[in-house]
C-alpha cells in the first residue's frame, strides 16, 4: 500500500497557510478588455448610475478615455458606434475604448424596473467626464453606426 502513508511527507508547519487560499478562488474575471488608450495624466473615476424604468439614458456622447461597466441591477441597453445595440443584464459587463467612438445608448432596457450600473472611466486631465455629440456630427457619422433594428 505504498503511497498511502502520509506520515513521511506530512503538512507540518503549513497549517497556518491552508486557510488563506480563498483568494485564488474568490475572484471571477468578468471581462478582459483590449485594446484601449489611456490619456496621459488621466485620473480614474468610478460612478454609480441609477436609471428609473424606461429612462433612455445619456444622449449620444463620448469619453476621453476608456470606460468599464458592470450592471448591478436591471438591464442596460448598450450601443457603441459600429456595434449593434445589445442588452446587458445584471451581472454582465460592458466597456468602451474612449476617444473618438460615440457611445449612443446606455439607458434602462426595462420599462417596469430600475437599472443600476457602476462605471470606472479614465478621464483626460481638464476634460469633463463625458462630452455630448451634437446633431451635426451625429449626421456626419451616421454611416459609422450599426444598422438599427427594424422591429
Amino acid at each position: 500500500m505504498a503511497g498511502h502513508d502520509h506520515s513521511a511527507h506530512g503538512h507540518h508547519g503549513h497549517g497556518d497557510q491552508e486557510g488563506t487560499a480563498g483568494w485564488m478562488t474568490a475572484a471571477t474575471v468578468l471581462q478582459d478588455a483590449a485594446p484601449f488608450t489611456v490619456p496621459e495624466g488621466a485620473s480614474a473615476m468610478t460612478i454609480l448610475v441609477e436609471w428609473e424604468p424606461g429612462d433612455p439614458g445619456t444622449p449620444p456622447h463620448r469619453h476621453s478615455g476608456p470606460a468599464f461597466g458592470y450592471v448591478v441591477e436591471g438591464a442596460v441597453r448598450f450601443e457603441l458606434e459600429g456595434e449593434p445595440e445589445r442588452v446587458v443584464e445584471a451581472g454582465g459587463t460592458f466597456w468602451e475604448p474612449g476617444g473618438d467612438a460615440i457611445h449612443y445608448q446606455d439607458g434602462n432596457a426595462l420599462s417596469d424596473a430600475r437599472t443600476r450600473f457602476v462605471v470606472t472611466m479614465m478621464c483626460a486631465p481638464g476634460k469633463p467626464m463625458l462630452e455630448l455629440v451634437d446633431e451635426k456630427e451625429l449626421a456626419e457619422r451616421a454611416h459609422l453606426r450599426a444598422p438599427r433594428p427594424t422591429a
Side-chain angles (χ1 to χ4, degrees):
M1 297 298 278
H4 291 288
D5 177 17
H6 298 290
S7 59
H9 18 253
H11 301 285
H12 304 297
H14 298 292
D16 56 337
Q17 293 174 10
E18 286 176 5
T20 60
W23 66 269
M24 298 189 340
T25 55
T28 301
V29 175
L30 299 176
Q31 71 178 349
D32 190 350
F36 54 81
T37 302
V38 177
E40 188 167 353
S43 61
M45 176 187 299
T46 300
I47 63 170
L48 172 64
V49 179
E50 306 186 63
W51 295 134
E52 293 301 318
D55 194 313
T58 316
H61 61 278
R62 57 169 55 103
H63 299 277
S64 59
F68 309 91
Y70 174 77
V71 182
V72 178
E73 175 190 342
V76 173
R77 187 175 307 284
F78 181 80
E79 186 193 351
L80 192 63
E81 187 172 65
E83 297 179 5
E85 73 173 54
R86 61 192 172 98
V87 172
V88 184
E89 298 184 345
T93 60
F94 57 87
W95 75 282
E96 47 191 300
D100 194 46
I102 295 176
H103 185 182
Y104 277 98
Q105 296 189 78
D106 68 354
N108 189 346
L110 306 178
S111 58
D112 58 351
R114 299 176 75 219
T115 284
R116 299 165 65 227
F117 60 96
V118 171
V119 181
T120 297
M121 55 186 80
M122 312 292 165
C123 304
K127 287 269 204 169
M129 181 173 76
L130 60 83
E131 296 184 87
L132 298 183
V133 179
D134 63 34
E135 292 294 333
K136 179 173 177 287
E137 189 180 3
L138 285 177
E140 288 169 356
R141 295 175 71 104
H143 66 286
L144 297 174
R145 190 173 187 179
R148 313 300 307 130
T150 51

